[in-house]
Amino acid sequence: MPPSRAGATEVFPWERAAVLASCALSAAGSGLLVGTHARWPELRTRPRQLLLYLSLADLLSAAAYFYGALEAFEGPSGGCVAQGALSAFANTSSFFWTLAVALYLYLAIVRAAPAGAALLALFHAVSWGVPLGITVAAVALKKIGYDASDVSVGWCWIDIEAEDRVLWMLLAGKLWEILAYFTLPIFYILIRKHISRAHAALSEYRPILSRTPAFQPRTSIADKKLILIPVIFIFLRIWSTVRFVLTLCGSPSVQNPVLVVLHGIGNTFQGGANCIMFVFCTRVVRNKLFSCLCCRRDSGLDPSLPSPEDCRQNHVAFPKDWESPDSEWDRAELSST
């Protein structure tokens, strides 16, 4: 690796503000995912259980990045090491849980073999244990520290002056990030092909259903959501990889303000993107949430209207996720029950 460039990448106030806003939105989105899981027991299916753990990792990641961007470290310090360690652990854990979700959907939809307790335990061991082991080793060997914002946007990560910094940057996130770029599309392409074959077989035996206008938009929504999952992940994360490569090459383009802000938002908004996909773009969860909010607002105006507790107990108007073909995510939930 070429020697590090002289001078840190300057993070302008508007870039820092964008990162802080992205962190706040991601934390709110992750919190909403956790809240819906806690509030409605009927949503606690295996896929959403995995999504819960992913949301917890994203919540920790957003909090660590927020502190780092807010503190604006200008050199090594104890706070820098603590923030860098937490963000390295949470970010790497988020990658593993993202891959775990994709693997689960593949097993449930394509292989018709939903994960049992043993596989879930393995997911926990890998997705929490491996990042924790890497982070503890990095801290013990003093590899976490100030990175001059060349591979971050105001926060700390791997010490930019460490001789073996490339190895630790790979272990503490980049290796798993690049692995996800290739693995996620493969899983979702296989799932998409399986769904297409299933739809073709269904059309052969039930041609009327395949021509029903109400059926086609719903399957289209399912297909689009499956396609969007890896696309959104790659779009958010690719900018950090670009800056990582530019840093390896010693290119001054790593300080490009557009790249810097895209990196900052992409690394911190994963929780917000997941919330959009699996709360606001999933009909059953969206309806429950909006209905509860409306009941809470209306009951404050008129005591005769249903209370929030009534809203929580009344599930008649909301089908189970698998009764609504919003996504093949929901179809996988049927396999887990």
Side-chain angles (χ1 to χ4, degrees):
M1 176 179 179
S4 56
R5 295 176 296 97
T9 298
E10 182 178 2
V11 181
F12 298 103
W14 67 273
E15 294 171 335
R16 197 177 307 280
V19 171
L20 291 173
S22 180
C23 289
L25 290 173
S26 184
S30 297
L32 188 57
L33 280 164
V34 173
T36 56
H37 186 89
R39 186 174 182 84
W40 291 294
E42 69 274 18
L43 295 181
R44 297 172 193 170
T45 52
R46 185 57 55 80
R48 293 192 180 278
Q49 190 176 358
L50 298 178
L51 183 62
L52 170 67
Y53 304 132
L54 172 59
S55 299
L56 291 174
D58 287 335
L59 185 59
L60 281 176
S61 182
Y65 285 141
F66 186 92
Y67 173 71
L70 186 65
E71 190 69 19
F73 297 106
E74 296 182 356
S77 67
C80 174
V81 172
Q83 179 270 307
L86 180 58
S87 63
F89 165 74
N91 202 40
T92 306
S93 180
S94 177
F95 291 145
F96 278 107
W97 279 116
T98 300
L99 291 172
V101 170
L103 176 59
Y104 176 84
L105 290 178
Y106 171 77
L107 292 174
I109 296 173
V110 178
R111 297 297 182 182
L119 186 56
L120 181 60
L122 179 62
F123 285 160
H124 278 289
V126 173
S127 300
W128 298 123
V130 172
L132 181 61
I134 293 172
T135 304
V136 169
V139 172
L141 296 174
K142 302 185 185 304
K143 303 302 179 182
I144 301 289
Y146 180 63
D147 63 8
S149 290
D150 281 357
V151 283
S152 70
V153 186
W155 56 79
C156 292
W157 188 37
I158 301 300
D159 186 355
I160 199 66
E161 299 298 332
E163 292 184 0
D164 53 353
R165 55 190 174 275
V166 177
L167 172 63
W168 284 99
M169 287 177 184
L170 289 171
L171 289 176
K174 291 304 170 189
L175 175 63
W176 319 113
E177 183 178 71
I178 295 170
L179 178 65
Y181 291 153
F182 296 98
T183 306
L184 289 178
I186 290 174
F187 276 131
Y188 286 109
I189 287 171
L190 292 174
I191 294 170
R192 177 66 184 85
K193 287 184 176 180
H194 176 81
I195 295 168
S196 297
R197 288 194 295 267
H199 286 170
L202 184 62
S203 299
E204 181 179 352
Y205 292 101
R206 300 178 67 182
I208 296 177
L209 178 61
S210 65
R211 299 190 191 102
T212 302
F215 179 79
Q216 292 174 354
R218 288 178 176 179
T219 57
S220 177
I221 291 172
D223 297 341
K224 288 178 180 179
K225 183 179 285 189
L226 282 175
I227 293 171
L228 283 175
I229 290 173
V231 168
I232 290 176
F233 176 87
I234 293 173
F235 177 78
L236 288 176
R237 293 290 183 172
I238 194 66
W239 312 109
S240 66
T241 305
V242 169
R243 292 192 72 221
F244 171 66
V245 173
L246 290 174
T247 300
L248 295 184
C249 298
S251 172
S253 298
V254 74
Q255 298 183 343
N256 184 289
V258 175
L259 274 180
V260 170
V261 76
L262 287 173
H263 178 186
I265 293 174
N267 262 42
T268 57
F269 194 65
Q270 190 65 51
N274 288 338
C275 179
I276 292 172
M277 288 287 291
F278 299 111
V279 174
F280 298 117
C281 291
T282 300
R283 188 178 62 181
V284 63
V285 185
R286 181 179 66 242
N287 287 349
K288 282 179 174 290
L289 181 63
F290 288 171
S291 177
C292 185
L293 291 175
C294 289
C295 284
R296 184 180 298 276
R297 181 188 63 189
D298 293 341
S299 62
L301 300 175
D302 187 349
S304 66
L305 293 174
S307 66
E309 184 67 24
D310 296 331
C311 294
R312 182 169 55 196
Q313 295 176 353
N314 182 15
H315 305 306
V316 176
F318 305 109
K320 297 284 187 180
D321 280 6
W322 54 80
E323 293 174 359
S324 171
D326 272 353
S327 68
E328 296 305 328
W329 166 279
D330 298 331
R331 185 172 299 178
E333 293 187 340
L334 176 58
S335 303
S336 66
T337 59

